[in-house]
Amino acid sequence: MAQRATVQKRAIEPSETILEYVLDGLGPIPPQVKRNLSHIASLQKASDKLQSELRPLQDEYLQDSLKKIKDFPFPKNLTSSVPIPTTEELQSVITSPPHTSSISQYYTSLENIAVEKVDTARTILEFVEEHVGGIEEELRVMEGQLKEEGYFEPTGASAGDQVAIMLSPTSPTEWILAKVLSYNPDLQMYRIADEDPDLPNKTYNLPTPQVHLLNLAPHQIQKNDLIHAVYPDTTSFYSAKVICMRKVGGGNVVYVHFKDDQDEMGVTHEKPVLLKHVKKM
């Protein structure tokens, strides 16, 4: 089993950055991520050094600018022969080299470091997202397998979930599409609303065995599987055989041949059904 990454407890050294302290205490993490985190730490050190060098220059520039403004020959009154300086003239006094050119160079260097830190952080994020996505998919597959093998306790559907319901235990092959209004876990009873638009106020109280959760994962459907699927433009489930499954608009669509669905020429055409409207037989 992989060892969890942990942070060791110790005092932070005066010469360390926070990121260096955390990196030093981390347990096993991917080398690529650790290299990039170390690179960000070194960039931060370089940035801190430049900022410490920049601050005296900024202070010196401010002091020098204030002195120049103070010494500038302003007119002493409105009748003075000395002209009132324009904004451009005052700006030219305080934006003269060498201070401004040196400060600009520091700003450029700091901006370049900041861009490189962001690019490195994005590289780490892409790496993590790629691997987390793979882990999540593996967990989904594992969860599906565990559910199939009966390792998950049924907890009931949530309000708003679509489900397949069997209205009568004497008609075990007749299922319709419905929506959960509420679930009582103590009684294991559902309050259900019919999804037929012609029956907007029709509700039922049904026990758990007559309610089927529609939660199939893509890997649980294979070509030639026999299933129950909602026939297009209805809310009724009919027997069908899976032909294929495709991604359409970000969702999973199962293409099926419904039983006894031949046209006048005797041809059975594929019909699309949303995966969430499919249940195993």
Side-chain angles (χ1 to χ4, degrees):
M1 182 178 292
Q3 185 179 351
R4 293 179 59 189
T6 57
V7 179
Q8 300 169 2
K9 300 292 184 180
R10 65 169 179 80
I12 187 170
E13 299 294 333
S15 60
E16 283 183 310
T17 65
I18 295 296
L19 184 55
E20 285 177 319
Y21 169 74
V22 173
L23 282 174
D24 184 61
L26 281 177
I29 59 174
Q32 179 179 341
V33 173
K34 195 158 189 175
R35 280 197 304 272
N36 283 325
L37 287 173
S38 297
H39 182 52
I40 290 176
S42 66
L43 289 172
Q44 183 60 49
K45 269 198 163 183
S47 175
D48 291 343
K49 181 175 181 296
L50 288 175
Q51 290 184 63
S52 66
E53 295 172 359
L54 174 61
R55 287 189 193 100
L57 286 177
Q58 291 173 319
D59 292 340
E60 187 178 346
Y61 168 72
L62 288 173
Q63 293 298 325
D64 185 61
S65 297
L66 288 172
K67 184 177 183 304
K68 286 180 178 178
I69 292 295
K70 186 177 180 180
D71 295 341
F72 193 84
F74 290 99
K76 298 189 181 299
N77 53 57
L78 293 177
T79 60
S80 173
S81 59
V82 178
I84 297 174
T86 64
T87 301
E88 289 76 13
E89 287 174 330
L90 291 174
Q91 286 178 336
S92 67
V93 170
I94 64 173
T95 56
S96 58
H99 295 110
T100 52
S101 59
S102 298
I103 290 172
S104 295
Q105 289 172 7
Y106 272 96
Y107 283 166
T108 300
S109 298
L110 287 167
E111 184 178 357
N112 290 338
I113 288 174
V115 169
E116 189 171 352
K117 284 168 63 179
V118 170
D119 289 343
T120 306
R122 283 177 178 155
T123 300
I124 295 172
L125 179 62
E126 289 169 1
F127 178 87
V128 171
E129 285 181 339
E130 178 184 349
H131 286 74
V132 168
I135 292 171
E136 287 178 343
E137 180 59 29
E138 289 176 6
L139 289 174
R140 280 193 291 269
V141 172
M142 184 181 295
E143 181 180 341
Q145 292 171 343
L146 291 173
K147 284 181 178 178
E148 286 182 347
E149 295 169 11
Y151 287 101
F152 274 81
E153 290 283 336
T155 57
S158 302
D161 286 351
Q162 284 191 322
V163 291
I165 62 172
M166 177 174 53
L167 293 179
S168 172
T170 60
S171 302
T173 61
E174 295 180 6
W175 296 82
I176 63 172
L177 188 65
K179 182 172 66 178
V180 174
L181 296 176
S182 63
Y183 175 65
N184 186 323
D186 296 327
L187 300 176
Q188 294 194 355
M189 290 289 294
Y190 284 94
R191 187 163 176 266
I192 301 286
D194 201 312
E195 285 283 66
D196 189 334
D198 295 329
L199 301 169
N201 299 313
K202 186 67 174 176
T203 62
Y204 312 94
N205 291 305
L206 297 173
T208 299
Q210 288 175 236
V211 179
H212 186 93
L213 279 60
L214 299 173
N215 57 1
L216 287 176
H219 71 273
Q220 293 177 281
I221 295 293
Q222 304 295 329
K223 182 178 180 180
N224 294 325
D225 279 354
L226 297 179
I227 59 170
H228 285 135
V230 175
Y231 195 87
D233 300 321
T234 77
T235 57
S236 297
F237 286 80
Y238 292 92
S239 299
K241 183 172 75 171
V242 175
I243 304 304
C244 65
M245 183 163 57
R246 302 187 189 118
K247 278 276 190 184
V248 179
N252 294 298
V253 176
V254 184
Y255 289 80
V256 304
H257 281 168
F258 282 99
K259 184 179 179 181
D260 301 326
D261 193 38
Q262 298 89 350
D263 63 15
E264 63 275 7
M265 302 297 293
V267 177
T268 301
H269 298 277
E270 291 182 8
K271 286 188 169 62
V273 181
L274 294 174
L275 177 62
K276 64 180 182 179
H277 291 165
V278 170
K279 63 180 285 290
K280 288 288 191 75
M281 280 191 170

